[in-house]
Amino acid sequence: MFTGIVEELGRVRAVVPNEGGARIEIECGTVLEDAVLGASIAVNGCCLTVVEMGPGWWAADAQVETLDRTTVGTLAPGDPVNLERPVRLADRLGGHVVQGHVDGVGSVRAREPLADGSTRVEVEAPAHLLRYVVEKGSVTVDGVSLTVTTVADGAGLAGSFGVALIPHTLSVTTLGVREPGDRVNLEVDVLAKYVERLLAASGREPVAGGHRAVEGST
């Protein structure tokens, strides 16, 4: 389990294809301090297992499922990546409960720099994920825990949500360099999915309804 508080910006060192999958080598420092073979590290929000490591780098094997359903399949040498180790029981939960199980891929629709140094970002998301996104709720974008400021249901297969990024987040994560059109990993709040499942099992349907696209503070 993770919190969505990025510990370090790493960099892809190499991508080695392997029968449909790939071995991803990542250069970093902080997240290797207590890493061992078999440990988990979130890469842009995707939980991967350490299978090899050396001074200042580690490697993970990404299977076909991971490459197909996340942006890990598009990583190339030199790309920056958000890294986070699993939370310990004694740690503060600074973000929200993040599993590192990417639900799907969205894309940056727009970004608007503001005078105070922050940036508003609108992210397009598939409709089947947007149903779990609520204003003032939590969402994970490329492994970063963020507060939702707006939700706009779209007609058809996709809609969008907005987040507000403070200067610190922009400087220490990949979200500082994401531009319109860039694809991002999305993980919705797992609690919403459990609630929906429990309601369905009891024969009660979740209440349907649109979201208001109203600005709010984080």
Short mmCIF file of all heavy atoms in Angstrom, two decimals, residues 95-96 119-125 129-141 144-153 159-166 175 185-190 192 210-218:
data_model
loop_
_atom_site.label_atom_id
_atom_site.label_comp_id
_atom_site.label_asym_id
_atom_site.label_seq_id
_atom_site.Cartn_x
_atom_site.Cartn_y
_atom_site.Cartn_z
N GLY A 95 -1.14 11.24 2.13
CA GLY A 95 -2.02 11.39 0.97
C GLY A 95 -3.34 10.69 1.21
O GLY A 95 -4.14 11.12 2.03
N HIS A 96 -3.56 9.56 0.52
CA HIS A 96 -4.71 8.71 0.79
C HIS A 96 -4.31 7.27 0.49
O HIS A 96 -3.18 7.02 0.09
CB HIS A 96 -5.93 9.15 -0.03
CG HIS A 96 -5.86 8.87 -1.49
ND1 HIS A 96 -5.07 9.59 -2.37
CD2 HIS A 96 -6.47 7.92 -2.27
CE1 HIS A 96 -5.21 9.12 -3.60
NE2 HIS A 96 -6.04 8.10 -3.56
N THR A 119 -0.75 25.57 -10.66
CA THR A 119 -1.26 25.27 -12.00
C THR A 119 -2.53 24.44 -11.90
O THR A 119 -2.58 23.46 -11.14
CB THR A 119 -0.23 24.48 -12.83
OG1 THR A 119 0.94 25.29 -13.01
CG2 THR A 119 -0.78 24.11 -14.20
N ARG A 120 -3.55 24.84 -12.63
CA ARG A 120 -4.75 24.03 -12.75
C ARG A 120 -4.56 23.06 -13.90
O ARG A 120 -4.16 23.46 -15.00
CB ARG A 120 -5.99 24.89 -13.01
CG ARG A 120 -6.45 25.73 -11.84
CD ARG A 120 -7.87 26.23 -12.07
NE ARG A 120 -8.29 27.17 -11.04
CZ ARG A 120 -8.43 28.48 -11.21
NH1 ARG A 120 -8.19 28.99 -12.40
NH2 ARG A 120 -8.81 29.25 -10.22
N VAL A 121 -4.85 21.79 -13.68
CA VAL A 121 -4.71 20.77 -14.71
C VAL A 121 -6.04 20.03 -14.87
O VAL A 121 -6.65 19.63 -13.88
CB VAL A 121 -3.59 19.77 -14.37
CG1 VAL A 121 -3.53 18.65 -15.41
CG2 VAL A 121 -2.25 20.49 -14.29
N GLU A 122 -6.48 19.88 -16.12
CA GLU A 122 -7.67 19.11 -16.42
C GLU A 122 -7.24 17.80 -17.05
O GLU A 122 -6.43 17.77 -17.98
CB GLU A 122 -8.59 19.86 -17.37
CG GLU A 122 -9.90 19.12 -17.66
CD GLU A 122 -10.79 19.86 -18.65
OE1 GLU A 122 -10.36 20.93 -19.15
OE2 GLU A 122 -11.91 19.38 -18.92
N VAL A 123 -7.76 16.70 -16.51
CA VAL A 123 -7.38 15.36 -16.96
C VAL A 123 -8.60 14.65 -17.55
O VAL A 123 -9.64 14.56 -16.89
CB VAL A 123 -6.81 14.53 -15.80
CG1 VAL A 123 -6.46 13.11 -16.28
CG2 VAL A 123 -5.59 15.21 -15.20
N GLU A 124 -8.47 14.17 -18.77
CA GLU A 124 -9.53 13.38 -19.37
C GLU A 124 -9.45 11.96 -18.85
O GLU A 124 -8.37 11.39 -18.77
CB GLU A 124 -9.40 13.39 -20.89
CG GLU A 124 -10.54 12.69 -21.61
CD GLU A 124 -10.45 12.83 -23.12
OE1 GLU A 124 -10.57 13.98 -23.60
OE2 GLU A 124 -10.24 11.82 -23.80
N ALA A 125 -10.62 11.40 -18.48
CA ALA A 125 -10.65 10.06 -17.90
C ALA A 125 -11.77 9.25 -18.51
O ALA A 125 -12.82 9.79 -18.87
CB ALA A 125 -10.84 10.15 -16.38
N LEU A 129 -14.22 5.10 -15.10
CA LEU A 129 -13.44 5.52 -13.94
C LEU A 129 -13.97 6.82 -13.35
O LEU A 129 -13.95 7.02 -12.14
CB LEU A 129 -11.97 5.70 -14.32
CG LEU A 129 -11.22 4.45 -14.74
CD1 LEU A 129 -9.74 4.77 -14.99
CD2 LEU A 129 -11.34 3.35 -13.68
N LEU A 130 -14.48 7.68 -14.21
CA LEU A 130 -14.96 8.99 -13.75
C LEU A 130 -16.12 8.85 -12.77
O LEU A 130 -16.33 9.71 -11.93
CB LEU A 130 -15.38 9.85 -14.95
CG LEU A 130 -15.50 11.34 -14.70
CD1 LEU A 130 -14.13 11.93 -14.35
CD2 LEU A 130 -16.07 12.05 -15.90
N ARG A 131 -16.84 7.75 -12.84
CA ARG A 131 -17.97 7.54 -11.93
C ARG A 131 -17.52 7.48 -10.48
O ARG A 131 -18.30 7.70 -9.55
CB ARG A 131 -18.71 6.25 -12.30
CG ARG A 131 -17.89 4.99 -12.12
CD ARG A 131 -18.61 3.78 -12.66
NE ARG A 131 -19.85 3.51 -11.94
CZ ARG A 131 -20.73 2.61 -12.32
NH1 ARG A 131 -20.52 1.91 -13.44
NH2 ARG A 131 -21.81 2.40 -11.61
N TYR A 132 -16.24 7.15 -10.25
CA TYR A 132 -15.72 7.06 -8.88
C TYR A 132 -15.03 8.35 -8.43
O TYR A 132 -14.50 8.40 -7.31
CB TYR A 132 -14.70 5.92 -8.79
CG TYR A 132 -15.25 4.57 -9.20
CD1 TYR A 132 -14.79 3.94 -10.35
CD2 TYR A 132 -16.21 3.93 -8.43
CE1 TYR A 132 -15.28 2.69 -10.74
CE2 TYR A 132 -16.70 2.69 -8.81
CZ TYR A 132 -16.24 2.08 -9.96
OH TYR A 132 -16.73 0.86 -10.34
N VAL A 133 -14.99 9.34 -9.27
CA VAL A 133 -14.30 10.60 -8.97
C VAL A 133 -15.32 11.64 -8.53
O VAL A 133 -16.29 11.90 -9.24
CB VAL A 133 -13.52 11.10 -10.20
CG1 VAL A 133 -12.80 12.42 -9.88
CG2 VAL A 133 -12.50 10.05 -10.65
N VAL A 134 -15.11 12.23 -7.36
CA VAL A 134 -16.04 13.22 -6.83
C VAL A 134 -15.28 14.48 -6.42
O VAL A 134 -14.11 14.42 -6.03
CB VAL A 134 -16.83 12.69 -5.62
CG1 VAL A 134 -17.70 11.50 -6.02
CG2 VAL A 134 -15.90 12.29 -4.49
N GLU A 135 -15.96 15.60 -6.51
CA GLU A 135 -15.35 16.86 -6.09
C GLU A 135 -14.97 16.80 -4.62
O GLU A 135 -15.73 16.33 -3.78
CB GLU A 135 -16.36 17.99 -6.33
CG GLU A 135 -15.78 19.37 -6.15
CD GLU A 135 -16.80 20.45 -6.48
OE1 GLU A 135 -17.53 20.30 -7.46
OE2 GLU A 135 -16.86 21.44 -5.71
N LYS A 136 -13.75 17.22 -4.32
CA LYS A 136 -13.13 17.18 -2.99
C LYS A 136 -12.70 15.79 -2.58
O LYS A 136 -12.22 15.59 -1.46
CB LYS A 136 -14.06 17.78 -1.92
CG LYS A 136 -14.46 19.22 -2.17
CD LYS A 136 -13.24 20.11 -2.30
CE LYS A 136 -13.65 21.55 -2.54
NZ LYS A 136 -12.48 22.40 -2.86
N GLY A 137 -12.89 14.80 -3.47
CA GLY A 137 -12.38 13.46 -3.19
C GLY A 137 -10.93 13.35 -3.61
O GLY A 137 -10.29 14.32 -4.03
N SER A 138 -10.40 12.14 -3.50
CA SER A 138 -8.99 11.89 -3.84
C SER A 138 -8.88 11.07 -5.12
O SER A 138 -9.71 10.22 -5.40
CB SER A 138 -8.29 11.14 -2.70
OG SER A 138 -8.25 11.92 -1.52
N VAL A 139 -7.83 11.33 -5.86
CA VAL A 139 -7.52 10.57 -7.06
C VAL A 139 -6.00 10.52 -7.20
O VAL A 139 -5.29 11.42 -6.72
CB VAL A 139 -8.15 11.20 -8.32
CG1 VAL A 139 -7.51 12.55 -8.65
CG2 VAL A 139 -8.10 10.26 -9.52
N THR A 140 -5.50 9.45 -7.80
CA THR A 140 -4.06 9.32 -8.00
C THR A 140 -3.73 9.48 -9.49
O THR A 140 -4.28 8.77 -10.32
CB THR A 140 -3.56 7.95 -7.53
OG1 THR A 140 -4.01 7.72 -6.19
CG2 THR A 140 -2.05 7.87 -7.56
N VAL A 141 -2.86 10.44 -9.79
CA VAL A 141 -2.44 10.70 -11.17
C VAL A 141 -0.94 10.48 -11.26
O VAL A 141 -0.17 11.18 -10.60
CB VAL A 141 -2.80 12.14 -11.61
CG1 VAL A 141 -2.34 12.39 -13.05
CG2 VAL A 141 -4.29 12.39 -11.47
N VAL A 144 0.62 10.29 -7.91
CA VAL A 144 0.55 11.46 -7.03
C VAL A 144 -0.87 11.58 -6.47
O VAL A 144 -1.84 11.65 -7.23
CB VAL A 144 0.92 12.75 -7.79
CG1 VAL A 144 0.92 13.94 -6.83
CG2 VAL A 144 2.27 12.60 -8.46
N SER A 145 -0.99 11.61 -5.15
CA SER A 145 -2.28 11.80 -4.50
C SER A 145 -2.72 13.25 -4.64
O SER A 145 -2.02 14.16 -4.21
CB SER A 145 -2.18 11.43 -3.01
OG SER A 145 -3.39 11.75 -2.33
N LEU A 146 -3.90 13.45 -5.24
CA LEU A 146 -4.40 14.80 -5.49
C LEU A 146 -5.85 14.94 -5.06
O LEU A 146 -6.60 13.96 -5.02
CB LEU A 146 -4.28 15.13 -6.99
CG LEU A 146 -2.87 15.11 -7.57
CD1 LEU A 146 -2.92 15.22 -9.09
CD2 LEU A 146 -2.02 16.22 -6.98
N THR A 147 -6.23 16.17 -4.75
CA THR A 147 -7.62 16.48 -4.41
C THR A 147 -8.34 16.97 -5.66
O THR A 147 -7.85 17.85 -6.36
CB THR A 147 -7.69 17.56 -3.31
OG1 THR A 147 -7.03 17.07 -2.14
CG2 THR A 147 -9.14 17.89 -2.97
N VAL A 148 -9.50 16.40 -5.92
CA VAL A 148 -10.28 16.76 -7.10
C VAL A 148 -10.97 18.10 -6.86
O VAL A 148 -11.64 18.30 -5.85
CB VAL A 148 -11.35 15.68 -7.39
CG1 VAL A 148 -12.20 16.07 -8.59
CG2 VAL A 148 -10.68 14.34 -7.62
N THR A 149 -10.81 19.02 -7.79
CA THR A 149 -11.45 20.34 -7.67
C THR A 149 -12.69 20.47 -8.54
O THR A 149 -13.61 21.22 -8.20
CB THR A 149 -10.47 21.47 -8.05
OG1 THR A 149 -10.02 21.27 -9.40
CG2 THR A 149 -9.27 21.48 -7.11
N THR A 150 -12.73 19.78 -9.66
CA THR A 150 -13.89 19.84 -10.55
C THR A 150 -14.11 18.47 -11.18
O THR A 150 -13.17 17.69 -11.33
CB THR A 150 -13.71 20.87 -11.69
OG1 THR A 150 -12.61 20.47 -12.51
CG2 THR A 150 -13.47 22.26 -11.16
N VAL A 151 -15.35 18.19 -11.53
CA VAL A 151 -15.68 16.98 -12.28
C VAL A 151 -16.67 17.36 -13.36
O VAL A 151 -17.68 18.01 -13.09
CB VAL A 151 -16.29 15.88 -11.39
CG1 VAL A 151 -16.57 14.62 -12.20
CG2 VAL A 151 -15.38 15.56 -10.22
N ALA A 152 -16.37 16.97 -14.59
CA ALA A 152 -17.26 17.26 -15.72
C ALA A 152 -17.57 15.96 -16.44
O ALA A 152 -16.70 15.39 -17.10
CB ALA A 152 -16.61 18.27 -16.67
N ASP A 153 -18.80 15.47 -16.28
CA ASP A 153 -19.20 14.26 -16.99
C ASP A 153 -19.31 14.58 -18.47
O ASP A 153 -19.93 15.57 -18.87
CB ASP A 153 -20.56 13.77 -16.48
CG ASP A 153 -20.45 13.13 -15.11
OD1 ASP A 153 -19.39 12.58 -14.82
OD2 ASP A 153 -21.41 13.21 -14.34
N GLY A 159 -14.97 11.75 -19.80
CA GLY A 159 -15.23 13.07 -19.24
C GLY A 159 -13.92 13.58 -18.70
O GLY A 159 -12.85 13.15 -19.13
N SER A 160 -13.97 14.48 -17.73
CA SER A 160 -12.71 15.00 -17.20
C SER A 160 -12.88 15.44 -15.76
O SER A 160 -13.98 15.63 -15.26
CB SER A 160 -12.23 16.19 -18.05
OG SER A 160 -13.12 17.29 -17.93
N PHE A 161 -11.74 15.58 -15.08
CA PHE A 161 -11.72 16.14 -13.74
C PHE A 161 -10.55 17.11 -13.66
O PHE A 161 -9.60 17.05 -14.44
CB PHE A 161 -11.62 15.05 -12.66
CG PHE A 161 -10.34 14.24 -12.72
CD1 PHE A 161 -9.20 14.67 -12.06
CD2 PHE A 161 -10.30 13.04 -13.41
CE1 PHE A 161 -8.03 13.93 -12.10
CE2 PHE A 161 -9.13 12.28 -13.46
CZ PHE A 161 -8.00 12.73 -12.81
N GLY A 162 -10.64 18.02 -12.70
CA GLY A 162 -9.59 19.01 -12.53
C GLY A 162 -8.89 18.86 -11.20
O GLY A 162 -9.46 18.37 -10.22
N VAL A 163 -7.62 19.24 -11.16
CA VAL A 163 -6.83 19.26 -9.93
C VAL A 163 -6.01 20.55 -9.92
O VAL A 163 -5.75 21.14 -10.97
CB VAL A 163 -5.88 18.04 -9.83
CG1 VAL A 163 -6.67 16.75 -9.66
CG2 VAL A 163 -4.97 17.94 -11.05
N ALA A 164 -5.62 20.96 -8.73
CA ALA A 164 -4.79 22.16 -8.60
C ALA A 164 -3.44 21.74 -8.03
O ALA A 164 -3.38 21.11 -6.96
CB ALA A 164 -5.47 23.18 -7.68
N LEU A 165 -2.37 22.06 -8.72
CA LEU A 165 -1.03 21.63 -8.32
C LEU A 165 -0.24 22.80 -7.75
O LEU A 165 -0.07 23.82 -8.42
CB LEU A 165 -0.28 21.05 -9.53
CG LEU A 165 -1.00 19.92 -10.28
CD1 LEU A 165 -0.16 19.48 -11.48
CD2 LEU A 165 -1.29 18.75 -9.37
N ILE A 166 0.24 22.63 -6.53
CA ILE A 166 1.05 23.68 -5.91
C ILE A 166 2.46 23.63 -6.49
O ILE A 166 2.87 22.62 -7.08
CB ILE A 166 1.08 23.53 -4.38
CG1 ILE A 166 1.74 22.19 -3.98
CG2 ILE A 166 -0.33 23.63 -3.80
CD1 ILE A 166 1.93 22.04 -2.48
N LEU A 175 4.43 15.65 -12.90
CA LEU A 175 3.30 16.50 -13.28
C LEU A 175 3.74 17.91 -13.65
O LEU A 175 3.02 18.63 -14.33
CB LEU A 175 2.26 16.54 -12.16
CG LEU A 175 1.66 15.18 -11.77
CD1 LEU A 175 0.58 15.36 -10.70
CD2 LEU A 175 1.08 14.48 -12.99
N ASN A 185 -1.21 7.66 -15.74
CA ASN A 185 -1.84 6.56 -15.03
C ASN A 185 -2.85 7.09 -14.02
O ASN A 185 -2.56 8.07 -13.31
CB ASN A 185 -0.79 5.72 -14.30
CG ASN A 185 0.10 4.95 -15.24
OD1 ASN A 185 -0.34 4.49 -16.28
ND2 ASN A 185 1.37 4.79 -14.87
N LEU A 186 -3.99 6.44 -13.93
CA LEU A 186 -5.03 6.86 -12.99
C LEU A 186 -5.39 5.71 -12.06
O LEU A 186 -5.55 4.57 -12.49
CB LEU A 186 -6.30 7.29 -13.75
CG LEU A 186 -6.15 8.43 -14.76
CD1 LEU A 186 -7.48 8.67 -15.46
CD2 LEU A 186 -5.65 9.70 -14.08
N GLU A 187 -5.50 6.02 -10.79
CA GLU A 187 -6.06 5.08 -9.81
C GLU A 187 -7.11 5.82 -9.00
O GLU A 187 -6.80 6.83 -8.36
CB GLU A 187 -4.99 4.51 -8.87
CG GLU A 187 -5.58 3.51 -7.88
CD GLU A 187 -4.57 2.97 -6.87
OE1 GLU A 187 -3.37 2.91 -7.19
OE2 GLU A 187 -5.00 2.62 -5.75
N VAL A 188 -8.35 5.34 -9.04
CA VAL A 188 -9.42 5.99 -8.30
C VAL A 188 -9.42 5.48 -6.86
O VAL A 188 -8.74 4.51 -6.53
CB VAL A 188 -10.79 5.75 -8.97
CG1 VAL A 188 -10.80 6.35 -10.36
CG2 VAL A 188 -11.11 4.26 -9.04
N ASP A 189 -10.20 6.13 -6.01
CA ASP A 189 -10.27 5.76 -4.60
C ASP A 189 -10.90 4.38 -4.47
O ASP A 189 -12.05 4.16 -4.86
CB ASP A 189 -11.10 6.81 -3.86
CG ASP A 189 -10.98 6.67 -2.34
OD1 ASP A 189 -10.59 5.59 -1.87
OD2 ASP A 189 -11.30 7.64 -1.63
N VAL A 190 -10.15 3.43 -3.91
CA VAL A 190 -10.64 2.05 -3.81
C VAL A 190 -11.88 1.95 -2.94
O VAL A 190 -12.72 1.06 -3.12
CB VAL A 190 -9.52 1.13 -3.28
CG1 VAL A 190 -9.16 1.47 -1.83
CG2 VAL A 190 -9.91 -0.33 -3.40
N ALA A 192 -14.49 3.80 -2.94
CA ALA A 192 -15.68 4.00 -3.78
C ALA A 192 -16.05 2.71 -4.50
O ALA A 192 -17.24 2.38 -4.64
CB ALA A 192 -15.44 5.13 -4.78
N GLY A 210 -25.35 13.57 -12.13
CA GLY A 210 -24.21 14.28 -12.70
C GLY A 210 -23.42 15.00 -11.64
O GLY A 210 -23.85 15.13 -10.50
N HIS A 211 -22.28 15.48 -12.02
CA HIS A 211 -21.41 16.25 -11.12
C HIS A 211 -21.41 17.71 -11.56
O HIS A 211 -21.47 18.01 -12.74
CB HIS A 211 -19.98 15.71 -11.19
CG HIS A 211 -19.85 14.28 -10.79
ND1 HIS A 211 -19.87 13.86 -9.49
CD2 HIS A 211 -19.71 13.16 -11.55
CE1 HIS A 211 -19.74 12.55 -9.44
NE2 HIS A 211 -19.64 12.10 -10.68
N ARG A 212 -21.31 18.59 -10.59
CA ARG A 212 -21.18 20.00 -10.91
C ARG A 212 -19.71 20.32 -11.15
O ARG A 212 -18.86 19.96 -10.37
CB ARG A 212 -21.68 20.87 -9.77
CG ARG A 212 -23.17 20.76 -9.52
CD ARG A 212 -23.62 21.74 -8.43
NE ARG A 212 -22.89 21.53 -7.19
CZ ARG A 212 -22.10 22.43 -6.63
NH1 ARG A 212 -21.90 23.59 -7.22
NH2 ARG A 212 -21.50 22.18 -5.49
N ALA A 213 -19.45 21.01 -12.21
CA ALA A 213 -18.08 21.41 -12.52
C ALA A 213 -17.83 22.78 -11.90
O ALA A 213 -17.89 23.81 -12.55
CB ALA A 213 -17.86 21.48 -14.03
N VAL A 214 -17.56 22.79 -10.59
CA VAL A 214 -17.39 24.03 -9.85
C VAL A 214 -16.00 24.04 -9.24
O VAL A 214 -15.55 23.06 -8.68
CB VAL A 214 -18.44 24.14 -8.72
CG1 VAL A 214 -18.25 25.44 -7.95
CG2 VAL A 214 -19.85 24.11 -9.31
N GLU A 215 -15.33 25.15 -9.35
CA GLU A 215 -13.98 25.28 -8.79
C GLU A 215 -14.03 25.18 -7.28
O GLU A 215 -14.98 25.62 -6.63
CB GLU A 215 -13.37 26.63 -9.18
CG GLU A 215 -13.01 26.71 -10.66
CD GLU A 215 -11.82 25.84 -10.99
OE1 GLU A 215 -11.15 25.38 -10.06
OE2 GLU A 215 -11.57 25.62 -12.18
N GLY A 216 -12.98 24.62 -6.69
CA GLY A 216 -12.89 24.58 -5.25
C GLY A 216 -11.43 24.59 -4.85
O GLY A 216 -10.54 24.40 -5.68
N SER A 217 -11.13 24.77 -3.59
CA SER A 217 -9.76 24.79 -3.12
C SER A 217 -9.38 23.41 -2.65
O SER A 217 -10.20 22.58 -2.32
CB SER A 217 -9.62 25.78 -1.95
OG SER A 217 -10.49 25.40 -0.90
N THR A 218 -8.09 23.14 -2.63
CA THR A 218 -7.60 21.83 -2.19
C THR A 218 -7.21 21.91 -0.73
O THR A 218 -6.99 22.98 -0.19
CB THR A 218 -6.40 21.41 -3.03
OG1 THR A 218 -5.40 22.43 -2.97
CG2 THR A 218 -6.80 21.18 -4.46
#
